[in-house]
Amino acid sequence: MTNSKTKMPIQHDVVLSPLKLGGVNSIFLDILRLSCACVVLMHHAVGIWQEYGAAGIEHTFAPGSFWWLVVHAASHWAVIVFFVLSGYVIAHVTSRSISFQDYMVARLSRLYSILIPALLLTAFVELLIRVNSPELLAEFVRGASLPRYGITLLLWNELWLFSAAPKINGPLWSLSFELWYYLIFGLWLFRKQLVGGGWLLLVACLVAGPKILLLMPCWAAGVLAYRISQHVKYLPFRSIWTAIGIVAFSFFLLSYTRGWPGNVGQSPLYFSNQFLTDYVSASLIALALVMLPQKSSIQIPAPLFRLIRRLGDLTYPIYALHMPILIVLVVIAPGLLGVTSPGLPVLVVVALTATLLLGLLAERTRDLLRRLFTAVFDFKRKLFSLAGS
């Protein structure tokens, strides 16, 4: 499918793995993505705590209160931030010479290094519920399980107008969106390398369907932000503090704003239901990225720099693994959820610690997956060469 090219070193997805954009800017991105992952974790932790243990906390998380804003209204906003950051960093990665194969191998190996453990953990939790707490099946399991795991493994779970990820791990919806954004952008960027590249791009868009395409402008806003930031040398008020202020403004403005044209999670568009509101969120975050300075006088101590970078690299496992772990605690340690127990703080700390440890283990599979996907692409190329000879 590809023309003969000299293979370039594989570049990695830096929204989900190491980023080389300059000290202060990379720290800003790491803190932003880590904060967004923690917002999503808190959203699910509070929801479980309210549902299964803490009956007397309605006053703390009343609609419109600060904590309600953080753990409920801002959760979807956080995922939109992930999309913008992803597009921004993919634009950075592909600004250097790289082949379509190396691009896709890097994307797939990073996605699957966490997706596979996430699905295994999800399946284990479902089995635990079936054996120990069958009364929770209606709450955490929907429909036939096996097809859902198979479809999600292929990252087809959000194609067109259905949403099929296992309910135990709802955050996996965005991984399907990410894969199709990687593929569609890659097919567009490398279309001259590919035989029938334009047709492949059209087919990918048709397969992805309206839900995924409706939110692609959010992802593309990150690409545009990177390209503007590289070509525009001077902007008034360009500084790290301006970027922080725009992100904060976006957080409070969009968290208090009604989703438009619909509410997230409802059919037929599910997580794309408030796409117009999401465009505003994405535009503000993209503006914040444009305002990042090309140079900064801020000095960050080396140990703190390394710590933040390492934690930022673990954003993906925090996001993709926390939900099954929270549900495990409902099944095996319901005492943690009581009003008189340590409750929510312990729930969050246990889930966060477990996801970090599992993420460190999962990272070790990335090289193996990279070799596997490279072998698949090489086999495909040889197959097409034989077919054309």
Side-chain angles (χ1 to χ4, degrees):
M1 294 290 290
T2 59
N3 300 331
S4 177
K5 299 274 184 183
T6 301
K7 293 185 71 174
M8 304 299 295
I10 293 175
Q11 306 293 335
H12 303 298
D13 183 343
V14 236
V15 167
L16 305 175
S17 63
L19 176 61
K20 298 177 181 178
L21 283 172
V24 173
N25 289 352
S26 64
I27 291 299
F28 171 84
L29 298 181
D30 283 328
I31 292 175
L32 180 56
R33 61 180 178 161
L34 184 61
S35 300
C36 288
C38 290
V39 164
V40 177
L41 187 154
M42 279 292 294
H43 165 71
H44 292 125
V46 168
I48 285 177
W49 191 40
Q50 286 180 313
E51 182 71 20
Y52 296 100
I57 61 168
E58 289 80 1
H59 64 285
T60 305
F61 293 95
S65 69
F66 175 77
W67 285 111
W68 180 88
L69 172 69
V70 170
V71 302
H72 291 297
S75 180
H76 185 73
W77 171 89
V79 179
I80 299 302
V81 175
F82 282 137
F83 287 157
V84 179
L85 291 177
S86 178
Y88 183 82
V89 180
I90 293 301
H92 169 70
V93 168
T94 55
S95 65
R96 300 184 289 269
S97 181
I98 183 176
S99 71
F100 177 73
Q101 174 174 324
D102 288 345
Y103 167 81
M104 286 306 300
V105 165
R107 306 285 75 73
L108 291 169
S109 60
R110 185 54 183 145
L111 277 172
Y112 278 91
S113 68
I114 298 299
L115 176 62
I116 292 173
L119 286 175
L120 290 174
L121 178 61
T122 303
F124 168 76
V125 175
E126 181 173 336
L127 179 62
L128 194 66
I129 290 173
R130 290 182 182 278
V131 172
N132 288 355
S133 304
E135 70 278 5
L136 296 177
L137 281 175
E139 185 67 26
F140 293 118
V141 179
R142 56 180 181 179
S145 293
L146 192 58
R148 292 181 182 277
Y149 285 93
I151 290 170
T152 305
L153 181 63
L154 296 172
L155 290 172
W156 295 351
N157 48 294
E158 292 294 330
L159 296 183
W160 278 81
L161 297 179
F162 72 100
S163 187
K167 192 175 180 181
I168 291 172
N169 203 342
L172 295 182
W173 73 268
S174 67
L175 273 62
S176 178
F177 278 60
E178 283 281 3
L179 171 69
W180 289 94
Y181 296 154
Y182 293 157
L183 179 60
I184 291 169
F185 179 73
L187 289 172
W188 174 80
L189 187 67
F190 299 101
R191 61 193 180 280
K192 294 181 180 179
Q193 291 186 19
L194 304 171
V195 177
W199 288 107
L200 291 173
L201 176 60
L202 177 60
V203 169
C205 291
L206 290 174
V207 172
K211 288 200 287 84
I212 291 175
L213 294 180
L214 274 173
L215 289 190
M216 190 160 188
C218 299
W219 194 91
V223 176
L224 182 61
Y226 178 80
R227 295 191 173 181
I228 291 173
S229 67
Q230 296 303 299
H231 290 91
V232 178
K233 301 302 181 183
Y234 172 76
L235 285 171
F237 308 108
R238 193 175 199 175
S239 74
I240 191 73
W241 303 113
T242 303
I244 292 171
I246 294 171
V247 171
F249 175 75
S250 169
F251 174 87
F252 286 104
L253 175 67
L254 276 303
S255 296
Y256 276 116
T257 302
R258 175 183 174 273
W260 188 262
N263 295 320
V264 170
Q266 296 178 351
S267 63
L269 297 178
Y270 297 100
F271 298 102
S272 301
N273 245 356
Q274 62 172 52
F275 62 91
L276 293 178
T277 301
D278 294 337
Y279 292 165
V280 178
S281 298
S283 299
L284 288 170
I285 298 303
L287 177 61
L289 297 178
V290 169
M291 298 305 292
L292 289 174
Q294 294 185 333
K295 294 181 180 180
S296 175
S297 60
I298 299 175
Q299 299 296 318
I300 301 173
L304 178 61
F305 182 88
R306 288 192 295 269
L307 175 62
I308 295 173
R309 294 311 320 277
R310 194 70 188 99
L311 290 174
D313 294 343
L314 294 171
T315 298
Y316 187 18
I318 293 172
Y319 178 80
L321 298 173
H322 73 271
M323 190 65 183
I325 292 170
L326 289 171
I327 295 172
V328 161
L329 295 175
V330 173
V331 177
I332 67 174
L336 286 177
L337 307 178
V339 177
T340 58
S341 73
L344 183 61
V346 173
L347 196 63
V348 171
V349 169
V350 170
L352 188 58
T353 303
T355 56
L356 291 175
L357 293 175
L358 289 173
L360 290 171
L361 293 174
E363 278 191 340
R364 299 184 179 185
T365 66
R366 203 184 311 168
D367 287 338
L368 174 63
L369 288 167
R370 192 178 298 124
R371 291 194 294 271
L372 174 63
F373 284 117
T374 299
V376 170
F377 273 90
D378 288 342
F379 175 77
K380 177 214 67 174
R381 188 172 61 251
K382 291 176 182 177
L383 196 63
F384 277 95
S385 297
L386 289 173
S389 62

